């Protein structure tokens, strides 16, 4: 694998990385994960979201440790550097497959939401296809464009969350949290399970974009990422807290898109109503960032495995594969839940935590580190 395989050498700031991490973590998870957590932990689901924050810190520490040893290489490149050419390529291919499936699942989550709430009479293939056109264009423009888009969506997501939170204060019922810790910490600990796979260990995408952080921004990177983890933990805890306080654990578990249903309850003097559409727009924006990052990382890693000098030729065919596959990856909501709980969490933890941790341990034991520039050429081939 050529150390120069890749594409245009865009650079991003530590602040942009932190905002991308927040949007990626919230992304599709903000609408789906709270229901899964509350289903397991009931009224103690908000405690599960608090307990998961230190775990996310530990996971991102693994990614940052790998970056310090290989500051200019992606996980596909230093896997080959550590394990040798063929084993390294095999490891890199597992990440290619992981991000391909992840891209498909994220798109399907968005299609399910749109077809069941906003556009119930629109064919799912049309929703999937038109959304992928936007994704294709965004990924084609590169990580710098995605990061700048993320900065805009970050502000809007916080603004909408503040509106929804303040508007629901008059509907909070603290008795819905009783009894607190009825079964001790067992239920909250079990409630952490779905969050581990979705979205915590999916954040392995960082191993492909950290090499693009500007050299002058490297010192701020730890603080920015840890700040993003703290904000993400606070936001997700607040969302689950509001769900339980407003709808109760029973009603939350019965709705596949509980946060959207909660936003529909906002009604202040018949003036502030239909706020849920604001949430839907912002949520679709965060899904755009998550799917763009997933397809981007997929294209980059596949290009590096194949030894290409540009990723752009891969974007169109990959998007054309992801769009139709998203329609058949699972049959219905029940199948989706079973897959997420019984398959995806285990697979995601293995790919997003176990494999990077093993690579880090191998690099430490073999005392391997490299400052070779594996980033992308500053110009496209033949430009």
């Amino acid at each position: 694998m050529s150390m120069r395989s890749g594409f245009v050498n865009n650079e991003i700031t530590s602040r942009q990385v932190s905002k991308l991490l927040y949007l990626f973590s919230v992304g599709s998870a903000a609408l789906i994960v709270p229901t899964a957590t509350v289903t397991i932990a009931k009224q103690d689901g908000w405690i599960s979201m608090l307990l998961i924050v230190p775990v996310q810190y530990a996971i991102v520490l693994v990614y940052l440790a790998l970056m310090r040893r290989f500051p200019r290489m992606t996980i596909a490149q230093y896997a080959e550097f550590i394990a040798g050419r063929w084993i390294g390529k095999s490891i890199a291919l597992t990440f290619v497959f992981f991000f391909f499936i992840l891209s498909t699942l994220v798109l399907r989550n968005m299609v399910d939401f749109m077809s069941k709430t906003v556009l119930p009479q629109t064919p799912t293939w049309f929703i999937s296809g038109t959304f992928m056109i936007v994704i294709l264009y965004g990924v084609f423009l590169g990580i710098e464009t995605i990061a700048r888009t993320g900065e805009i969506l970050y502000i809007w997501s916080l603004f909408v969350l503040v509106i929804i939170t303040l508007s629901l204060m008059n509907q909070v019922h603290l008795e819905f949290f009783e009894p607190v810790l009825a079964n001790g910490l067992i239920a909250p600990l079990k409630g952490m399970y779905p969050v581990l796979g979705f979205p915590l260990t999916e954040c392995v995408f960082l191993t492909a974009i950290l090499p693009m952080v500007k050299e002058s921004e490297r010192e701020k990177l730890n603080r920015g990422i840890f700040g993003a983890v703290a904000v993400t933990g606070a936001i997700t805890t607040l969302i689950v807290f509001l769900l339980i306080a407003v709808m109760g654990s029973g009603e939350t578990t019965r709705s596949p898109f509980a946060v959207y249903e909660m936003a529909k309850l906002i009604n202040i003097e018949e003036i502030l109503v239909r706020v849920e559409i604001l949430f839907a727009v912002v949520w679709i924006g965060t899904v755009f960032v998550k799917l763009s990052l997933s397809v981007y990382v997929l294209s980059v890693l596949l290009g590096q495995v194949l030894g290409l000098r540009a990723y752009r030729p891969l974007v169109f065919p990959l998007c054309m594969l992801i769009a139709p596959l998203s329609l058949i990856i699972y049959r219905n909501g029940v199948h989706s839940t079973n897959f997420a709980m019984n398959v995806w969490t285990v697979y995601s933890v293995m790919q997003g935590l176990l494999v990077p941790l093993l690579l880090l341990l191998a690099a430490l034991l073999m005392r391997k580190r490299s400052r070779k520039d594996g980033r992308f050429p500053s110009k496209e081939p033949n430009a």
Side-chain angles (χ1 to χ4, degrees):
M1 183 189 303
S2 171
M3 286 294 122
R4 298 292 292 177
S5 61
F7 62 102
V8 177
N9 185 13
N10 290 324
E11 290 189 326
I12 56 179
T13 66
S14 60
R15 181 175 297 180
Q16 288 173 330
V17 171
S18 64
K19 291 175 180 176
L20 288 177
L21 177 59
Y22 163 78
L23 292 169
F24 186 96
S25 300
V26 174
S28 53
L31 201 65
I32 301 168
V33 166
T35 300
T37 300
V38 174
T39 299
I40 297 173
K42 305 301 180 186
Q43 67 273 12
D44 293 326
W46 64 279
I47 301 177
S48 299
M49 306 310 293
L50 282 177
L51 294 176
I52 206 70
V53 175
V55 178
Q56 188 170 11
Y57 275 118
I59 292 172
V60 297
L61 280 174
V62 175
Y63 305 151
L64 290 170
L66 284 167
M67 186 209 68
R68 284 193 291 271
R69 301 190 74 86
F70 309 100
R72 296 300 184 190
M73 299 165 70
T74 69
I75 195 166
Q77 294 169 324
Y78 55 69
E80 183 175 332
F81 182 78
I82 295 170
R85 182 177 182 184
W86 297 111
I87 296 178
K89 280 185 179 292
S90 299
I91 294 173
L93 282 173
T94 65
F95 284 99
V96 170
F97 182 74
F98 175 79
F99 281 104
F100 181 75
I101 297 299
L102 176 59
S103 302
T104 304
L105 292 172
V106 173
L107 180 59
R108 177 58 182 270
N109 290 335
M110 195 281 303
V111 170
D112 283 347
F113 171 74
M114 294 290 289
S115 62
K116 292 177 181 178
T117 57
V118 184
L119 301 171
Q121 297 183 359
T122 304
T124 54
W125 62 264
F126 183 80
I127 299 174
S128 177
T130 52
F131 197 73
M132 282 308 296
I133 292 175
V134 181
I135 297 298
L136 190 156
Y137 183 63
V139 175
F140 191 82
L141 292 177
I143 186 64
E144 196 171 312
T145 301
I146 298 172
R148 289 174 178 176
T149 304
E151 288 185 294
I152 299 172
L153 291 173
Y154 175 79
I155 300 298
W156 276 103
S157 66
L158 294 180
F159 174 70
V160 171
L161 182 67
V162 169
I163 291 178
I164 292 176
T165 302
L166 294 177
S167 302
L168 288 170
M169 283 296 99
N170 62 335
Q171 300 188 48
V172 169
H173 302 279
L174 296 180
E175 63 270 18
F176 287 165
F177 293 96
E178 299 175 353
V180 178
L181 295 175
N183 298 312
L185 282 174
I186 299 299
L189 289 173
K190 288 182 178 179
M192 296 166 57
Y193 173 76
V195 190
L196 284 173
F198 178 60
L200 257 62
T201 46
E202 294 174 353
C203 293
V204 69
F205 83 94
L206 286 172
T207 58
I209 70 169
L210 287 179
M212 282 168 266
V213 177
K214 294 178 181 179
E215 192 69 40
S216 59
E217 294 279 328
R218 293 296 176 104
E219 293 182 359
K220 307 175 186 176
L221 194 55
N222 282 27
R223 183 174 58 187
I225 289 181
F226 289 156
V229 171
V231 172
T232 302
I235 296 299
T236 52
T237 302
L238 176 62
I239 290 173
V240 175
F241 180 90
L242 284 175
L243 278 173
I244 299 171
V246 175
M247 299 176 62
S249 59
E251 187 65 27
T252 299
T253 58
R254 285 190 287 270
S255 175
F257 307 116
V259 181
Y260 182 77
E261 296 298 326
M262 178 179 67
K264 290 170 70 173
L265 298 174
I266 296 175
N267 187 338
I268 299 180
E269 300 299 333
E270 298 295 334
I271 298 175
L272 187 62
V273 295
R274 307 295 300 183
V275 178
E276 70 274 8
I277 198 63
L278 286 177
F279 171 81
V281 170
V282 170
W283 183 79
I284 292 171
T286 61
V287 170
F288 165 78
V289 172
K290 182 170 183 175
L291 185 53
S292 296
L293 286 170
S294 299
V295 177
Y296 172 83
V297 172
L298 167 64
S299 304
V300 170
L301 297 184
L302 182 58
Q304 292 173 339
V305 170
L306 297 176
L308 304 180
R309 290 179 58 82
Y311 83 109
R312 287 192 169 102
L314 298 173
V315 178
F316 181 78
L318 286 173
C319 288
M320 292 305 100
L321 288 173
I322 291 168
L325 184 60
S326 68
L327 303 178
I328 62 174
I329 193 164
Y330 50 75
R331 296 184 294 274
N332 49 47
V334 176
H335 187 197
S336 168
T337 301
N338 290 334
F339 176 80
M341 297 296 290
N342 300 322
V343 179
W344 182 254
T345 297
V346 176
Y347 175 49
S348 182
V349 169
M350 179 186 71
Q351 199 69 49
L353 177 59
L354 183 60
V355 175
L357 184 59
L358 290 175
L359 287 174
L360 177 60
L361 292 175
L364 290 171
L365 291 174
M366 301 168 68
R367 297 182 179 180
K368 286 199 171 185
R369 60 172 66 242
S370 175
R371 297 194 61 84
K372 289 182 180 179
D373 194 346
R375 295 180 302 162
F376 315 119
S378 58
K379 294 182 180 181
E380 290 279 12
N382 303 321

